[in-house]
Amino acid sequence: MTTNTEQSHDSLPANTADVLHQTLLSGFALNVNLLMQQMVANQHALQQILTASTAKAVAEIINPNSDKDAAVIQNIDIVLKAIKESSSGYIDLIKQLTLEVENALKMVGK
């Protein structure tokens, strides 16, 4: 007579909720980290554009023969708006990820 010591295929291991909990949190942390790295890289690129635009604006403004003052100032405004919108987009993604992981953790029971 043999005894069945294997776990039934109808039930999950006792630590399944803990494993799912850790997996969800690890994935969340990784995704937020990647988004933050992308945001910083994007902000750096936009900051370089803003620096160049500001330098051009100063050169145009101090040039008495220039008639492009308004255009270069408008260009700076466009770059500033791009920086703001870019940051908002990343922040919105991180908020959405946070909500999704919170809901997933509730489903796991943690």
Side-chain angles (χ1 to χ4, degrees):
M1 188 159 137
T2 62
T3 58
N4 188 357
T5 57
E6 292 182 21
Q7 183 174 352
S8 168
H9 295 289
D10 294 338
S11 64
L12 296 172
N15 68 340
T16 299
D18 292 334
V19 171
L20 286 173
H21 178 257
Q22 287 302 320
T23 302
L24 286 168
L25 291 178
S26 297
F28 172 71
L30 177 64
N31 283 323
V32 169
N33 186 24
L34 291 173
L35 283 171
M36 294 297 285
Q37 288 177 15
Q38 288 175 344
M39 184 174 74
V40 168
N42 189 36
Q43 294 300 326
H44 180 70
L46 288 171
Q47 190 68 36
Q48 289 177 324
I49 293 169
L50 180 62
T51 301
S53 297
T54 304
K56 184 172 182 165
V58 169
E60 291 292 335
I61 290 168
I62 62 173
N63 180 354
N65 298 323
S66 175
D67 59 352
K68 299 178 183 174
D69 297 356
V72 293
I73 291 170
Q74 183 181 16
N75 190 35
I76 290 174
D77 188 49
I78 291 169
V79 175
L80 287 171
K81 286 179 183 174
I83 290 171
K84 182 179 178 182
E85 289 175 16
S86 173
S87 295
S88 296
Y90 283 106
I91 290 168
D92 289 344
L93 282 172
I94 291 169
K95 285 179 181 178
Q96 183 62 37
L97 275 174
T98 303
L99 287 174
E100 289 179 12
V101 79
E102 285 173 348
N103 289 336
L105 288 172
K106 287 177 187 174
M107 289 173 58
V108 173
K110 288 285 181 174

